[in-house]
Amino acid sequence: MDNMKKEGDYITLGQFLKVMDYVQSGGEAKHLIHTFSIQVNGENENRRGKKLYPGDQVVINGKMHEISEEDAD
């Protein structure tokens, strides 16, 4: 399981796919999001604008990722 640290209140699924190198751009995410098997907290998801918050678990093509808050300095 990979932990993905984020800044701000949330990250969208499309941004997450880009950060995690599943796609290279937002445009690519728009076209390819339906080709991935994606679950957010156990529910199938294909909306690139889906907001992901700390503690959310995202499974993409069988690989688990967890959204976590940026560590406080």
Side-chain angles (χ1 to χ4, degrees):
M1 172 171 40
D2 289 335
N3 285 346
M4 191 270 174
K5 294 180 182 177
K6 55 149 222 57
E7 296 181 26
D9 294 334
Y10 66 87
I11 186 170
T12 65
L13 180 56
Q15 292 168 332
F16 181 75
L17 290 172
K18 186 176 174 185
V19 168
M20 299 305 292
D21 290 327
Y22 284 96
V23 297
Q24 298 303 310
S25 69
E28 188 178 7
K30 180 178 181 178
H31 292 290
L32 295 180
I33 198 162
H34 297 286
T35 65
F36 296 115
S37 170
I38 302 173
Q39 292 185 329
V40 176
N41 299 324
E43 300 289 326
N44 290 330
E45 186 59 67
N46 64 5
R47 298 173 292 163
R48 68 184 174 120
K50 169 70 174 167
K51 294 177 182 176
L52 305 174
Y53 295 93
D56 283 348
Q57 293 185 341
V58 182
V59 179
I60 302 172
N61 294 335
K63 185 168 183 180
M64 171 75 79
H65 306 276
E66 185 170 329
I67 308 300
S68 63
E69 289 189 41
E70 186 68 31
D71 292 336
D73 289 82

